Amino acid sequence: MTKTASDEYVFRAVPLRNVELTAPYFHSSKVWNLEQAVAVMGVAQLCQELTPQETSDIAPFLRTLTGQQPRVELPFLPASTAETPQPEPLVKNSLEKGDAVGKQNSLR
């Protein structure tokens, strides 16, 4: 995105809020355990293997960032009938008379 050589293979880190609830982890979705994810990130970000004690200290801290999930209520929609209004198309058909393409062709 930045077209800077030092930014190659750099990815945006996701927020840590509710990280306990977001398994599987990483872009590959191959890690399902938070402790294992912490160990992988130790190698990837710090270039060193974390000890089992360090991993078992960090994972509980990350779990403290878990909050109450917002309640999402989906609306109840009535069944569609022949009288139900339909939405207007978002994209105008470029072949309609009087559009920009038609005006452009008429200028030639």
Side-chain angles (χ1 to χ4, degrees):
M1 181 174 244
T2 64
K3 298 184 176 147
T4 304
S6 63
D7 288 342
E8 286 187 24
Y9 306 107
V10 174
F11 301 95
R12 178 186 174 274
V14 296
L16 295 177
R17 176 118 173 112
N18 294 325
V19 70
E20 178 183 22
L21 307 176
T22 60
Y25 302 104
F26 308 123
H27 67 280
S28 64
S29 300
K30 290 185 177 181
V31 177
W32 284 81
N33 179 292
L34 187 57
E35 283 78 5
Q36 186 180 3
V38 169
V40 169
M41 290 307 293
V43 173
Q45 295 293 315
L46 304 174
C47 298
Q48 65 181 27
E49 285 193 37
L50 299 176
T51 66
Q53 181 62 46
E54 290 170 326
T55 302
S56 66
D57 288 343
I58 294 170
F61 165 73
L62 293 174
R63 287 188 179 94
T64 67
L65 303 176
T66 301
Q68 187 174 11
Q69 291 288 87
R71 184 181 171 127
V72 177
E73 292 186 31
L74 299 176
F76 172 76
L77 299 176
S80 182
T81 66
E83 290 80 36
T84 302
Q86 299 297 311
E88 293 292 321
L90 295 176
V91 178
K92 183 178 175 183
N93 184 343
S94 63
L95 300 177
E96 289 180 10
K97 196 172 192 178
D99 68 357
V101 174
K103 290 176 186 173
Q104 204 174 39
N105 287 338
S106 66
L107 296 174
R108 290 184 184 172

